[in-house]
Amino acid sequence: MRGEEVEANERDNSIPIPLTFWQQLGKHFVAGIALFGPAAAIFLTQYLVSRHGLIQAVTETQLSTGYAIETAKSAPEATPAPTAPITVDMITARPRSVTHQPASLQLTTRPTGATFAVYPGIIADKARPTSPTPLRSGTSPGTIDELRGGNYTIFFHKDGWPDSRTEVELQAGQVLPVTYAFPHGELSITSDLSGAEILLGTVSLGFTPLKVDLPPGQLELTARLKNFPDRKQTLTVSDNSTPTIDFQMRARQRTGRVRPTPTPSLIDRVGGSLKHLFGGKPTPAPRKRR
């Protein structure tokens, strides 16, 4: 009996058992996973990473609505490494105090065109500056900036006038106008023919009519006009005087009166005729008196 069972088992193992439909489908599915699984895993990994970068780029870029945008897959941008913060030390300049603010001088002279030289401190009258180089110099009118508060002596020079000086006290931050007038007289000059050039020595003062400031003293002026002889006049100018001088450029013509010749009388005419007939010399006509 036992031998029959063993023989029956051997006979059953030698006969193949047919597989069902689901068993066959599962067999092919497992083989497909084993073949395409690694490639699918790589594809899905790259797709998800690219899609994540694309979504982030679209989110960060604000686009106007109403337009269709076609996007392409791209590799994710590398995130820049954070840099160390830069520290800047702000040094604030201290404001100038009132006592250290610069001051200025605005210099004018009468007449204009005088040169000036500024020295620090007060220099006694008729004393020369101790420093050969002035602090500032120039020609009037002029402005001197960036000075400190204190006392200054200003020297003035103009050709034809004596040198002079003045002292000023300047406060910090102050703009001080200084007007210096040389001793002078204001002269009015005219001529019967306008446009004559007026000369003081060899210096031209201008053309008539004109008003000009001249230094005090005795001066000789010359009026010059083309096609006319020069005219000279001497005058004395004092400080704050206003003299007037006029030049006559036309030469005065001297005219002499011509006396009429007297008419000879009847006797003189008869006598002259007789002398002419008998060979006598005729009576000469009377001479004209000059």
Side-chain angles (χ1 to χ4, degrees):
M1 186 70 178
R2 187 169 185 82
E4 294 178 354
E5 293 178 358
V6 172
E7 185 178 357
N9 291 334
E10 291 176 357
R11 191 168 52 248
D12 296 334
N13 291 334
S14 61
I15 299 172
I17 303 174
L19 299 177
T20 64
F21 171 79
W22 295 108
Q23 290 177 344
Q24 292 179 0
L25 182 61
K27 178 180 178 181
H28 292 296
F29 180 77
V30 172
I33 292 176
L35 179 61
F36 298 103
I42 295 173
F43 173 78
L44 291 176
T45 303
Q46 293 181 353
Y47 174 77
L48 291 176
V49 173
S50 301
R51 185 171 181 274
H52 176 71
L54 180 61
I55 293 174
Q56 184 177 3
V58 172
T59 303
E60 293 177 353
T61 305
Q62 296 181 359
L63 301 175
S64 58
T65 59
Y67 294 90
I69 302 173
E70 183 179 356
T71 59
K73 298 179 182 179
S74 61
E77 296 181 357
T79 304
T83 58
I86 300 175
T87 304
V88 179
D89 296 331
M90 301 298 293
I91 301 176
T92 305
R94 297 178 59 185
R96 291 184 177 182
S97 61
V98 176
T99 57
H100 290 84
Q101 290 183 357
S104 300
L105 285 173
Q106 294 179 346
L107 296 177
T108 56
T109 60
R110 182 177 180 184
T112 60
T115 60
F116 59 82
V118 181
Y119 291 86
I122 295 178
I123 302 175
D125 191 17
K126 297 183 180 181
R128 302 302 303 170
T130 57
S131 174
T133 304
L135 183 64
R136 301 288 176 82
S137 61
T139 303
S140 68
T143 302
I144 305 174
D145 298 320
E146 299 296 330
L147 293 176
R148 295 182 179 180
N151 296 319
Y152 295 91
T153 301
I154 308 173
F155 288 79
F156 296 97
H157 170 79
K158 186 172 178 61
D159 293 338
W161 274 265
D163 293 344
S164 188
R165 70 182 73 187
T166 185
E167 295 84 20
V168 295
E169 183 179 0
L170 192 60
Q171 303 295 330
Q174 182 183 14
V175 179
L176 180 63
V178 177
T179 301
Y180 181 80
F182 287 88
H184 68 281
E186 186 178 9
L187 180 62
S188 298
I189 306 175
T190 60
S191 62
D192 60 340
L193 296 176
S194 61
E197 184 180 14
I198 306 301
L199 302 173
L200 176 61
T202 58
V203 179
S204 176
L205 302 179
F207 297 87
T208 58
L210 79 156
K211 289 185 178 181
V212 62
D213 295 329
L214 294 177
Q218 189 173 8
L219 307 175
E220 185 181 59
L221 300 180
T222 302
R224 181 171 296 169
L225 187 64
K226 188 177 180 180
N227 300 327
F228 290 88
D230 292 350
R231 303 297 180 185
K232 295 181 181 293
Q233 291 196 41
T234 302
L235 73 158
T236 300
V237 179
S238 59
D239 190 17
N240 296 324
S241 63
T242 57
T244 300
I245 187 172
D246 180 68
F247 286 93
Q248 296 295 324
M249 305 305 299
R250 292 190 180 94
R252 295 181 179 178
Q253 297 179 356
R254 295 182 179 180
T255 58
R257 294 182 180 179
V258 180
R259 295 182 180 182
T261 303
T263 304
S265 62
L266 178 60
I267 298 175
D268 291 335
R269 285 184 292 177
V270 172
S273 300
L274 294 174
K275 289 181 180 180
H276 180 69
L277 292 174
F278 295 101
K281 295 182 179 180
T283 304
R287 294 181 179 179
K288 298 179 180 181
R289 295 180 180 180
R290 295 182 180 179

